[in-house]
Amino acid sequence: MHYCLLLTACIKPEQVTINPIIRIDPAIRMQDYFSALKFWLGYEQTYFDSIVFVENSSSDLFLLRNLVAKENKFNLKVEFLQFQSSPVPDGVHYGYSELEMIDFAFDHSKLIANTTHIIKITGRLYFPQLIRLLKWIPKGIEFASDSRDYTIASRDEHYIVTTLFIVEKRFYASLLYDAKSTMNTIFEYSLEETLYFQILKPLYIKGIHHIILRLPFTLSPVGFGAHWNVNYNSFKKQTATLLRDFARIIIPAFWI
């Protein structure tokens, strides 16, 4: 399998009424993207040799381009793509714009055209344990990510963790491309994470595709969540990771 890293980015986001963005300052967000891209440029591994950085607010990318020019020590092929995002339909959440970015990259990226699998990552984040996941991923995988699928008292969670997922290019083109057009105001279809769950869980159950929706370990990111400005390295988040990994061992059928 040949992987390409796809980093999605929005440096100057439009504020939304549903789940408003707390981490919205373009300067702070640029620093997030700078730090993450610097990490990936220095990430020693043999699984991917190319990075596509797609950005949807037509912002100046001089700092990022300069970073690639100066610190690309493994000579990765890096491609920058930009466009101005479409308005998000009323009642639909922020994930609409990310799905549009992924589609745009599939339509316009020369590097993606020459690969078999995409590792899609939210561009402000980085995952030090990605190499562990890539060593574990079985051959022939069509889609792989983690998910939450449980009901506890008033908590009813059913969604794909979309900060990072791996997808075969042909699988994406046939089953996930333009998924954004099916998003609507119904909760299960108004978020990227829940929309993907509604598409992928039935296919996973049928077993007609090579899909993984539960990883053997938690792949924790480094960075901050934009909508709640949550620090993924906080004590609370690290504790949640430990509990999830413990649950995978003692109650593997319980997807928390």
Side-chain angles (χ1 to χ4, degrees):
M1 296 187 293
H2 183 225
Y3 295 104
C4 175
L5 205 64
L6 174 60
L7 307 180
T8 57
C10 181
I11 294 170
K12 296 180 181 178
E14 295 289 335
Q15 189 56 280
V16 293
T17 55
I18 302 176
N19 286 348
I21 304 169
I22 295 176
R23 199 174 185 83
I24 199 169
D25 186 327
I28 293 175
R29 293 175 69 91
M30 173 59 84
Q31 185 57 51
D32 290 343
Y33 293 119
F34 184 93
S35 298
L37 182 57
K38 183 175 182 178
F39 173 86
W40 293 121
L41 289 171
Y43 194 58
E44 188 171 6
Q45 46 77 47
T46 58
Y47 289 87
F48 64 85
D49 61 3
S50 58
I51 298 174
V52 175
F53 187 96
V54 56
E55 201 275 335
N56 72 346
S57 67
S58 300
S59 298
D60 186 353
L61 301 183
F62 171 79
L63 288 175
L64 302 180
R65 293 180 185 275
N66 192 50
L67 174 66
V68 172
K70 292 184 176 180
E71 300 197 29
N72 189 3
K73 66 179 182 179
F74 295 115
N75 295 314
L76 298 175
K77 291 172 282 188
V78 181
E79 181 180 29
F80 289 96
L81 300 174
Q82 280 191 285
F83 69 104
Q84 188 61 47
S85 63
S86 303
V88 178
D90 290 341
V92 170
H93 290 241
Y94 59 89
Y96 180 92
S97 297
E98 178 163 77
L99 294 180
E100 184 179 45
M101 277 191 278
I102 301 171
D103 287 350
F104 185 89
F106 266 73
D107 287 338
H108 295 89
S109 171
K110 295 178 181 178
L111 294 179
I112 287 178
N114 294 317
T115 195
T116 63
H117 288 73
I118 308 302
I119 307 170
K120 178 270 157 187
I121 296 178
T122 300
R124 290 174 297 96
L125 308 176
Y126 56 93
F127 293 77
Q129 292 195 80
L130 176 62
I131 187 68
R132 180 183 176 191
L133 175 65
L134 296 180
K135 289 179 178 179
W136 173 83
I137 286 289
K139 291 182 178 180
I141 194 68
E142 293 178 278
F143 185 93
S145 183
D146 217 351
S147 63
R148 308 285 182 257
D149 189 12
Y150 66 90
T151 301
I152 304 176
S154 61
R155 293 290 299 272
D156 194 31
E157 305 286 353
H158 311 281
Y159 63 90
I160 302 292
V161 178
T162 57
T163 48
L164 183 151
F165 62 79
I166 296 173
V167 63
E168 184 194 32
K169 188 170 64 176
R170 291 176 299 180
F171 180 87
Y172 185 89
S174 62
L175 291 166
L176 296 176
Y177 184 85
D178 198 32
K180 65 185 182 302
S181 66
T182 65
M183 297 178 82
N184 57 48
T185 56
I186 301 173
F187 177 73
E188 288 82 1
Y189 298 94
S190 67
L191 286 159
E192 174 187 5
E193 296 88 345
T194 53
L195 176 66
Y196 266 25
F197 187 86
Q198 295 298 320
I199 295 171
L200 293 166
K201 185 61 183 295
L203 298 177
Y204 171 82
I205 293 172
K206 290 178 181 178
I208 57 177
H209 292 281
H210 197 172
I211 296 173
I212 295 171
L213 297 184
R214 186 63 164 165
L215 302 180
F217 54 88
T218 302
L219 201 67
S220 298
V222 175
F224 292 82
H227 283 268
W228 297 277
N229 202 33
V230 60
N231 183 354
Y232 286 109
N233 264 354
S234 67
F235 175 78
K236 181 179 179 180
K237 283 293 184 180
Q238 290 180 350
T239 300
T241 294
L242 290 174
L243 291 174
R244 285 198 171 100
D245 282 343
F246 184 64
R248 289 172 210 265
I249 297 171
I250 62 171
I251 44 173
F254 192 45
W255 294 11
I256 62 171

